Amino acid sequence: MIELLNGLFLVFIAVLAVSTVRLPNLFAVIVIAGFLSLLSDGMLLLLDAVDVAFTEAAVGVGISTVLMLATIGLVGRHEKRPAHRPGLPLAVVSLTGMVLVYGTLDMPRFGDPLAPIHQHVAP
């Protein structure tokens, strides 16, 4: 049951993340980002990380939303269209993501009792 709820949270978070990138109205982006943070709070609660969920709620839903709404007063409500295509930034972000995933391939499996950290007892 918990896995199903985690999966639903993950699907909703992915849909909201894609919609956040696609919207030109910055007010709608801020509202969706606050709701995205609220969904991640629910997911953290299901994972029994209550302290992390509380911090995410205070920072992600509270302070970040207020700061972004204050920023709208300075920059305006609608996004301006870029003058160039975002090919280079997309390539840099994709390459960085691939390098980070490659770096995790050498890690031991989660909870592995034969992992190096579980083989030495500190004095």
Side-chain angles (χ1 to χ4, degrees):
M1 182 67 179
I2 297 294
E3 291 84 13
L4 178 66
L5 285 174
N6 277 335
L8 284 174
F9 273 120
L10 206 56
V11 167
F12 286 140
I13 287 172
V15 167
L16 287 177
V18 170
S19 65
T20 301
V21 173
R22 304 286 300 164
L23 284 174
N25 187 347
L26 296 179
F27 182 74
V29 168
I30 292 171
V31 170
I32 290 176
F35 192 63
L36 186 95
S37 182
L38 193 62
L39 282 176
S40 66
D41 291 338
M43 192 170 185
L44 289 168
L45 283 174
L46 284 176
L47 295 172
D48 289 332
V50 179
D51 54 342
V52 180
F54 182 73
T55 304
E56 172 66 24
V59 174
V61 178
I63 296 171
S64 295
T65 303
V66 169
L67 288 175
M68 287 189 281
L69 286 172
T71 304
I72 279 187
L74 296 174
V75 299
R77 190 176 176 130
H78 293 282
E79 176 185 11
K80 293 183 178 127
R81 288 281 148 204
H84 57 82
R85 301 292 296 164
L88 180 62
L90 182 62
V92 170
V93 168
S94 298
L95 181 67
T96 304
M98 287 188 280
V99 168
L100 288 172
V101 168
Y102 176 74
T104 62
L105 295 177
D106 195 31
M107 292 176 61
R109 294 186 53 82
F110 182 75
D112 183 12
L114 298 178
I117 193 158
H118 300 300
Q119 297 303 315
H120 177 72
V121 177

